[in-house]
Amino acid sequence: MDSFSSTPIENNNEIEPTQDDEGQAIEAHIQGTQEEGQEETQEGGQEVSQEVQNSPNKKGLTSEAWKHFRREKIDGKWKAICKYCERKIGGDTKQGTKHLHDHIRICPIRTVRGPKQSILKIVQQSSGSGTGRPTYSLLVGNFTFSQEAARRALTKWVIRDEHPMSFVEQVGFHEFMAETQPLFKFYTRNTLRNDVEKMYEAEKAKLLKLLEKNSSRIAITTDMWSADCQNKGYMAITAHFIDDDWNLQCRLIRYYLCF
């Protein structure tokens, strides 16, 4: 309890305060402190004081994960509500913050991993070495997941490596994607087949436009072979030409079964 003394007078005689005077002084001191605290809250400290009250820790909610949640008491229990998807998870500080960090990584609305993690992103650059092969560079930044871009990459993967259409339905592929990118939405082999056909039509249209704009001569080569296991023969027709940047271009324009 704070000590209180009377104001000294000229004859240096001190006046002993009575119990009533001391009680009124204490009450006035407490009321003044409360009013000062209310003014500080109105000036901008409302969120900090409320955070301290909501947390048993005197320093408040210090974890980085709480920047992505708001803490509310629902039906007598503390809940952490995601600021992005509004999902309610356990908000009791005794449970720690590991589950909060886990939700930040898999939040369907917040697609940027974090809260403090930077991702190495591989960016493809135009080929300048004359070999026709693209070059790649690494950039450090926030990675944003795109389902459409992932589907395009998966379609190219299946086409280039000649995977079966049932590849997207295999258990091993599902387990791999669940570990590397939980936001990826799986689909069936029929959807993959449609994606392959759409990509074929798009690439065919791009090739026709490229050949129309080409001003150099085009060399045509053929290649024939047979498959012993199937007893069938195949032929491929390839077009070779030099573009305006003096890069050699090779495009497959026909592939079909001979017999």
Side-chain angles (χ1 to χ4, degrees):
M1 181 179 296
D2 297 335
S3 60
F4 295 89
S5 60
S6 60
T7 304
I9 56 178
E10 294 180 356
N11 58 4
N12 294 329
N13 293 328
E14 296 183 354
I15 300 175
E16 294 293 336
T18 62
Q19 293 182 355
D20 295 338
D21 295 337
E22 184 177 357
Q24 292 177 359
I26 295 174
E27 184 177 355
H29 175 72
I30 294 175
Q31 185 176 0
T33 304
Q34 291 178 351
E35 292 178 355
E36 291 178 358
Q38 291 177 358
E39 291 178 356
E40 292 178 356
T41 301
Q42 294 176 357
E43 290 176 357
Q46 183 176 2
E47 295 182 358
V48 177
S49 61
Q50 184 177 1
E51 183 181 90
V52 174
Q53 291 178 1
N54 292 345
S55 172
N57 186 0
K58 294 181 179 179
K59 296 181 180 180
L61 306 173
T62 58
S63 175
E64 290 289 335
W66 286 110
K67 294 181 179 180
H68 307 274
F69 295 87
R70 65 176 186 272
R71 194 163 180 261
E72 296 181 4
K73 205 166 189 179
I74 302 176
D75 296 333
K77 296 182 180 180
W78 286 110
K79 295 293 182 180
I81 304 176
C82 179
K83 294 181 179 179
Y84 309 101
C85 65
E86 298 295 330
R87 182 180 177 183
K88 300 179 181 65
I89 57 180
D92 194 341
T93 54
K94 296 180 180 179
Q95 299 177 357
T97 58
K98 182 180 181 301
H99 63 297
L100 302 181
H101 287 278
D102 293 339
H103 176 75
I104 293 173
R105 286 191 290 268
I106 64 174
C107 178
I109 305 299
R110 175 185 166 83
T111 56
V112 178
R113 292 185 180 181
K116 297 187 297 182
Q117 181 181 4
S118 294
I119 308 297
L120 288 177
K121 184 178 181 180
I122 301 178
V123 179
Q124 179 177 336
Q125 297 179 346
S126 59
S127 58
S129 59
T131 60
R133 298 179 179 178
T135 57
Y136 298 90
S137 61
L138 292 177
L139 296 178
V140 178
N142 290 329
F143 169 76
T144 302
F145 172 73
S146 173
Q147 177 71 14
E148 296 181 359
R151 285 182 59 172
R152 287 195 300 267
L154 179 57
T155 303
K156 292 180 180 179
W157 182 15
V158 172
I159 294 173
R160 289 174 177 172
D161 295 345
E162 300 179 356
H163 289 297
M165 296 295 177
S166 60
F167 177 76
V168 294
E169 298 178 351
Q170 295 177 1
V171 178
F173 174 72
H174 285 204
E175 293 178 349
F176 173 77
M177 292 304 300
E179 291 293 334
T180 56
Q181 183 49 265
L183 298 178
F184 182 79
K185 296 180 180 179
F186 299 101
Y187 47 91
T188 63
R189 67 182 74 185
N190 295 329
T191 304
L192 176 61
R193 183 182 295 106
N194 294 334
D195 290 346
V196 171
E197 293 176 354
K198 291 179 181 179
M199 182 170 291
Y200 167 77
E201 295 296 337
E203 292 296 327
K204 182 180 178 180
K206 289 171 56 178
L207 177 59
L208 292 175
K209 291 182 180 180
L210 180 63
L211 295 177
E212 289 177 359
K213 294 180 180 179
N214 179 50
S215 58
S216 64
R217 294 185 178 182
I218 301 176
I220 303 295
T221 61
T222 60
D223 186 18
M224 300 182 64
W225 71 95
S226 60
D228 296 335
C229 60
Q230 297 179 346
N231 195 22
K232 295 181 180 180
Y234 301 90
M235 183 175 71
I237 302 177
T238 308
H240 309 264
F241 60 94
I242 297 176
D243 60 15
D244 295 336
D245 296 328
W246 290 92
N247 294 323
L248 178 62
Q249 301 290 340
C250 302
R251 295 292 187 272
L252 180 66
I253 59 177
R254 190 66 186 272
Y255 176 87
Y256 57 92
L257 177 67
C258 296
F259 56 86

